[in-house]
Amino acid sequence: MQLTNRSKQVSNKEMTFAEKIYLPAIVTGLGITIKHFFQKKVTIKYPEVKKNLGPVFRGRHVLKRDDQGRERCTACGLCAVACPAEAISMVASERQKGEENLYREEKYAAVYEINMLRCIFCGLCEEACPKQAIYLRHDEFVPVFTERDQVIWGKDKLAENMNNRYLRTAWTKEEAHEHNLKGIVAQPRTQL
Amino acid sequence: MAFSIDAAFIIKAIIILLIFAITLLIATYSTYAERKVAAFIQDRIGPDRAGPFGLLQPIADAVKMFFKEDFIPSNASKWLFILGPCLSMLTALMTSAVIPFGDSIKYEAAPGKVWDVAVQAIDVNIGILYVFGVVSLGVYGIMVGGWASNNKFSLLGAIRAASQNISYEISMGLAIVAILMMTGSLSIRHIVEQQHGGNWNIFYQPLGFVIFITCAFAECNRTPFDLPECETELIGGYHTEYSSMKLGFYLFAEYINMFVSSAMIASLYFGGYNYPGMDWVQAKLIAATGEITGHNLATLVGTLVFFGKSLFFVFFYMWVRWTLPRFRYDQLMNLGWKGLIPLAIVNIILTGGAILYLKPLVVSLLK
């Protein structure tokens, strides 16, 4: 049975003298490695230089606001239902008079929490959301946390900062190629 | 000879100190070079955080080694456990004593009275024998370490390492015999001096050179002969139980061995401090700066050439390490006993034949 087209017929032929003394093969190997010695290095100096992660990369979550700065989330709970890791939980609340500039619709999420230890960054919440309120950023990881109280991310960390909005530059690889997105030199970390 | 402190003695003391300091420095920076070479061969950048280009990395490593927990297993024999790495380090350092790093330094003690001090710790007339004697003691460092750890894996690793070292020392010695037959001297300085004027042994002993360098790799426990490390089969080999600076000593000894054997290869096969156009350079320097200064400057150039050659072989060690995979143990033993020893004996016979029959023929033809 042939599983791939890369399989080769194994031969058990006698090695020639040159093959038996191994030295030509060793010299060839040395040649290959010394060639790499002078080649351009592919390493990226990570904290200083960041690679463009690609338009479909699923990084840390953001709760989007609309153009007027109102929260889009209506606390319908579909993201929490869709979440296979059960990382999302929320408490819905009713918008009061005078809060129209804060929440777009009558119902909003008073508490919206994601447990970052549970989240598997599958992106199903993003797909489930009917209000286009939750996205996984394509340009940023979840920062490292060392304390237990940093694990649960509330709205303070998730809601979008209007001074530093999350705008996706491309949606497909082709678009990213058009925009010529390559590595980016690190900026100071986005204010949460 | 009366023992007195005079200028020659002081110069000699400075030379000896310098030789050991430079050997240690090169060994220290070999660790850094190894990481850089490995990285470059694998298209990486390598250590670059500590200092410019990561040049302070060896110091950072040393600090780390010193501050790690110095652990001695409860049932290990304590003193032997400490003795192991010391033995390894000691034997590695001792070999550098007989290597001629350069020609000689002249010093005018009084008008008409010129001291001539060789740039070598000590020039013994049994230099090569001494090297072999000391190198064979290095096995004890490994063996004592493996035994004292009170760990079966360490002991097995140590036995493997010891049998490997002993096996390859035989063919190494036999490879040298051919050179001794050609030069008729056991002093390394004599052997180097006979290669004066581009008359390098590599041209007469290519087979011997291949055998010698292969055995040198095995003696230094370097890839593809780094069986003593055997982390896959025996956890970590003879130094499984070692931590902190004691492990550091073992690893450091390996790098010193590497430099010393590179220096040996350079001395025995590549003319040591000799280089083409040496006499011309010396004559020019003497004409430019005077008899004594010129000679000393020429010695300095020769010493630098010697370091260039040795460091190239240090690089070669690393180059090979990141090219070739490790041997299987039975393959290693087969190569040593069934491959290299017969080859070395053939080399001796060929050399003997050449000295007996070829040399008179060539000499008579040239007449």
Side-chain angles (χ1 to χ4, degrees):
Chain A
M1 190 176 66
Q2 197 175 6
L3 292 173
T4 68
N5 53 7
R6 287 176 299 176
S7 61
K8 271 186 192 166
Q9 189 70 41
V10 178
S11 91
N12 212 3
K13 72 175 175 63
E14 275 278 298
M15 287 196 285
T16 60
F17 179 72
E19 283 169 337
K20 263 185 194 161
I21 58 173
Y22 295 111
L23 281 178
I26 289 172
V27 173
T28 318
L30 287 172
I32 290 169
T33 44
I34 201 69
K35 212 164 65 194
H36 279 271
F37 189 87
F38 297 106
Q39 268 172 8
K40 195 169 173 287
K41 308 303 166 213
V42 293
T43 312
I44 289 171
K45 296 197 167 195
Y46 169 61
E48 289 95 27
V49 180
K50 285 182 178 163
K51 206 179 165 216
N52 180 36
L53 293 164
V56 292
F57 178 79
R58 295 193 287 251
R60 77 175 186 86
H61 313 68
V62 59
L63 276 177
K64 283 289 282 182
R65 298 173 191 269
D66 66 4
D67 290 341
Q68 286 133 48
R70 301 177 297 185
E71 281 177 21
R72 287 166 169 257
C73 177
T74 61
C76 64
L78 284 179
C79 51
V81 173
C83 183
E86 299 184 4
I88 304 176
S89 62
M90 66 189 75
V91 176
S93 188
E94 203 178 333
R95 185 177 71 184
Q96 302 298 311
K97 252 200 169 2
E99 289 181 337
E100 287 84 359
N101 60 335
L102 293 178
Y103 314 109
R104 196 155 74 162
E105 292 178 40
E106 286 83 7
K107 192 164 150 244
Y108 72 95
V111 177
Y112 192 101
E113 285 178 341
I114 302 179
N115 185 338
M116 286 299 171
L117 280 182
R118 303 198 71 159
C119 178
I120 57 170
F121 302 92
C122 62
L124 289 184
C125 50
E126 195 179 46
E127 279 178 33
C129 184
K131 297 291 178 184
Q132 300 188 333
I134 188 162
Y135 284 99
L136 294 164
R137 295 187 67 140
H138 77 296
D139 56 351
E140 221 180 278
F141 297 104
V142 175
V144 173
F145 42 76
T146 49
E147 301 294 327
R148 278 161 188 261
D149 56 5
Q150 293 168 341
V151 168
I152 313 278
W153 279 34
K155 267 170 81 176
D156 54 328
K157 287 181 181 166
L158 291 171
E160 190 182 21
N161 180 352
M162 287 305 279
N163 295 324
N164 185 12
R165 296 197 71 187
Y166 169 63
L167 299 169
R168 200 180 290 228
T169 38
W171 287 91
T172 59
K173 274 186 186 172
E174 289 74 27
E175 277 178 39
H177 194 70
E178 265 174 43
H179 287 87
N180 196 20
L181 296 174
K182 281 186 189 141
I184 31 175
V185 176
Q187 302 290 323
R189 190 178 290 290
T190 316
Q191 292 296 308
L192 291 172
Chain B
M1 198 178 80
F3 183 80
S4 63
I5 293 179
D6 52 18
F9 179 82
I10 292 168
I11 292 176
K12 193 86 204 176
I14 292 171
I15 287 173
I16 291 174
L17 274 179
L18 267 180
I19 284 173
F20 283 107
I22 289 173
T23 307
L24 286 171
L25 191 76
I26 286 176
T28 314
Y29 271 87
S30 295
T31 61
Y32 165 77
E34 172 110 83
R35 291 176 66 181
K36 272 288 186 193
V37 170
F40 274 42
I41 282 175
Q42 295 164 350
D43 293 340
R44 297 184 284 116
I45 294 173
D48 69 336
R49 295 283 144 172
F53 307 108
L55 277 171
L56 299 180
Q57 190 64 46
I59 296 164
D61 288 342
V63 170
K64 188 190 97 177
M65 285 280 190
F66 274 114
F67 281 93
K68 280 208 154 189
E69 189 192 355
D70 193 8
F71 180 78
I72 296 178
S74 55
N75 282 326
S77 45
K78 194 178 164 214
W79 291 109
L80 284 182
F81 193 75
I82 297 169
L83 186 69
C86 298
L87 268 177
S88 265
M89 188 81 174
L90 192 73
T91 51
L93 269 176
M94 273 166 73
T95 38
S96 64
V98 289
I99 287 167
F101 284 76
D103 196 354
S104 65
I105 286 176
K106 281 190 177 164
Y107 175 79
E108 196 170 20
K113 192 184 173 195
V114 178
W115 293 101
D116 203 0
V117 188
V119 185
Q120 183 178 11
I122 183 167
D123 180 18
V124 283
N125 54 8
I126 50 156
I128 290 184
L129 269 186
Y130 169 83
V131 169
F132 274 83
V134 172
V135 163
S136 61
L137 286 178
V139 175
Y140 288 105
I142 289 172
M143 206 56 217
V144 165
W147 171 258
S149 299
N150 192 26
N151 176 335
K152 305 252 183 324
F153 291 116
S154 295
L155 181 60
L156 284 172
I159 291 169
R160 276 166 56 133
S163 62
Q164 172 193 325
N165 279 10
I166 291 168
S167 314
Y168 277 83
E169 218 169 87
I170 297 169
S171 25
M172 197 180 196
L174 289 178
I176 293 284
V177 166
I179 284 200
L180 301 184
M181 283 160 71
M182 281 173 57
T183 54
S185 169
L186 276 166
S187 155
I188 299 178
R189 180 165 283 273
H190 278 174
I191 293 171
V192 171
E193 275 165 4
Q194 289 202 346
Q195 298 175 62
H196 186 77
N199 206 15
W200 294 357
N201 282 337
I202 177 74
F203 304 126
Y204 306 107
Q205 294 285 341
L207 180 61
F209 168 67
V210 172
I211 296 167
F212 185 86
I213 198 167
T214 314
C215 297
F217 274 85
E219 283 290 300
C220 298
N221 305 331
R222 295 283 300 183
T223 320
F225 304 100
D226 60 342
L227 273 298
E229 271 171 37
C230 56
E231 62 278 276
T232 44
E233 316 99 282
L234 298 176
I235 311 173
Y238 64 95
H239 55 52
T240 307
E241 298 289 351
Y242 280 89
S243 61
S244 79
M245 208 54 210
K246 290 209 279 291
L247 176 68
F249 262 36
Y250 269 131
L251 304 183
F252 202 57
E254 179 187 319
Y255 284 95
I256 297 173
N257 271 331
M258 210 164 99
F259 172 65
V260 170
S261 60
S262 299
M264 284 283 287
I265 293 167
S267 309
L268 294 179
Y269 289 96
F270 288 86
Y273 49 80
N274 292 305
Y275 54 94
M278 194 184 177
D279 292 328
W280 182 83
V281 170
Q282 186 163 357
K284 282 275 170 195
L285 282 171
I286 286 175
T289 55
E291 178 70 35
I292 288 175
T293 326
H295 176 86
N296 287 347
L297 282 176
T299 301
L300 183 69
V301 174
T303 309
L304 291 179
V305 168
F306 175 78
F307 276 114
K309 286 174 187 171
S310 309
L311 292 182
F312 171 77
F313 282 104
V314 172
F315 171 75
F316 187 74
Y317 269 99
M318 293 166 185
W319 184 8
V320 169
R321 173 163 184 187
W322 301 106
T323 304
L324 297 180
R326 183 182 288 168
F327 273 97
R328 214 170 56 209
Y329 198 72
D330 59 318
Q331 292 173 332
L332 172 107
M333 278 295 162
N334 274 345
L335 180 72
W337 289 94
K338 295 185 192 165
L340 293 179
I341 292 179
L343 268 179
I345 292 172
V346 166
N347 189 40
I348 291 175
I349 294 169
L350 287 178
T351 312
I355 291 170
L356 261 183
Y357 301 110
L358 206 60
K359 204 173 159 192
L361 191 72
V362 172
V363 170
S364 64
L365 281 177
L366 285 177
K367 262 180 191 169

